[in-house]
Amino acid sequence: MEILADILRPKTLDDIIGQEHLVGKDKIIRNLVNNNHLVSMILYGKPGIGKTSIAYAIANTINKPYRMLNATINNKQDFDIVIEEAKMNGEMIIIMDEIHRLNKDKQDLLLPYIENGLITLIGMTTSNPYHKINPAIRSRCQIFELKELTPSNLKEGLNRACKYLPGIKIDDEAINAIIKLSSGDMRSAINLLEVAYYGSNNKHVTIDTVTNINAKAVFFADSDEDGHYDVLSGLQKSIRGSDVDASLHYLARLIAEGDLDSIYRRLSVIAYEDIGLANPGIGPKLMAAINAAELVGLPEARIPLGTIVTEMALSPKSNSAHLALDNALADIENGTTGNLPVHLKTNSPLYKYPHDYPNSWVKQQYLPDNLKNKKYYQPKNNKYEMNINKIHEEMKGGQK
């Protein structure tokens, strides 16, 4: 029996919910389809936000033969068969899930046909393609990032789904509970609605029906529906502001959601953006806490996470290092660069090797001439930075 999420899968771009920046009026993917000029592309983003739906809608609308492959599940013989079909048809769209897992043998098989236009590849991945996808494939594809679905997007999808469930009775409280539990995943939301509908004896879906199916606590981030990302923001700003109690409060709310990956990512940013050189040991300590949390899983993961967040909130703070790099990047983006000093170029006999001099330091110019007096790094007044700056000055032996 076909599941409801598959029945509701969009047939055209007009059926897509969300992703207006890609498929809306006069947006890039819609224009490519309208102009009947498809290019190989990679769609990436979180699960259940429309990657497969957009791929199928493109293939159906542009009216060209297509096949679905999975980079992990399908073997080399499956790829050979699809390529032979493409040769017989003169063209083929390949929709490929988990493209970040494409191994070298399959990649080498596809590349020449992507290159000559026989195959148009639509790859899908939840992983960042700039990090996870082989450059040879990536360079032959346009990369499009899908945005997270909003609660109103999910509500629209659930309202559509209700039309396919005869006699359903459901109130806003139950709809909102499904939206919260689905964490932005449309497929998960529709699946949960379908189970709740068939799991009730009178087709009446209530919040109790929903929460009895899914044991995960319903997490209402804020009464005004600000949501998950505002809580992450609250965590970061509380740690930055050295309020340990507020930091633990927002951590608790995020743990109640069960989204450990978001916690890990945000804490990793905080460790270097907000604490930085004031406590440089916090980065490795955080990684150890993350590894421990991953090892034990929930609910025990709360113990190492609570410990590290407490230390991060109580730690001295400094953003000097990342501000220094931002200042350097601003010069690069503005075209303020200049040539390397001659003595820094490869194998230059003019270069003075610092280790041959007292304290491993020798006075010589490192920045380009037009930036030679530039000071990107401005130390903050904390114990660690004051100490390393004192050591730096002593290393120079009073030379300027």
Side-chain angles (χ1 to χ4, degrees), residues 46-75:
K46 288 189 172 182
I49 62 174
K51 297 184 295 295
T52 304
S53 294
I54 289 176
Y56 276 121
I58 290 171
N60 287 328
T61 304
I62 212 161
N63 198 27
K64 292 183 179 180
Y66 70 88
R67 289 289 180 269
M68 181 78 182
L69 290 174
N70 184 297
T72 302
I73 297 170
N74 292 108
N75 58 32

Side-chain angles (χ1 to χ4, degrees), residues 311-381:
E311 181 174 357
M312 291 172 76
L314 295 174
S315 176
K317 308 296 189 295
S318 174
N319 63 352
S320 59
H322 92 80
L323 287 183
L325 179 58
D326 285 349
N327 290 335
L329 286 169
D331 274 348
I332 305 304
E333 290 167 2
N334 293 331
T336 309
T337 53
N339 296 321
L340 272 73
V342 173
H343 57 276
L344 295 189
K345 295 185 178 181
T346 306
N347 298 325
S348 171
L350 302 175
Y351 173 63
K352 297 176 183 177
Y353 188 58
H355 294 295
D356 290 340
Y357 294 83
N359 298 324
S360 295
W361 188 88
V362 60
K363 185 177 180 180
Q364 64 183 330
Q365 181 181 327
Y366 291 96
L367 280 167
D369 286 343
N370 59 323
L371 290 168
K372 65 181 180 181
N373 296 317
K374 186 82 174 190
K375 297 292 183 186
Y376 293 116
Y377 171 64
Q378 302 295 331
K380 290 289 183 79
N381 187 24

Side-chain angles (χ1 to χ4, degrees), residues 117-168:
L118 180 70
I119 285 172
T120 302
L121 178 66
I122 303 178
M124 299 171 295
T125 179
T126 57
S127 299
N128 188 329
Y130 297 102
H131 298 157
K132 297 292 187 181
I133 292 179
N134 189 292
I137 287 288
R138 196 175 65 227
S139 68
R140 290 163 172 82
C141 297
Q142 295 298 313
I143 296 174
F144 298 120
E145 181 179 7
L146 277 68
K147 296 180 179 179
E148 295 207 26
L149 297 178
T150 65
S152 60
N153 292 148
L154 293 169
K155 191 167 188 176
E156 182 182 349
L158 289 169
N159 287 338
R160 283 190 194 177
C162 286
K163 295 175 183 178
Y164 287 80
L165 298 172
I168 187 172

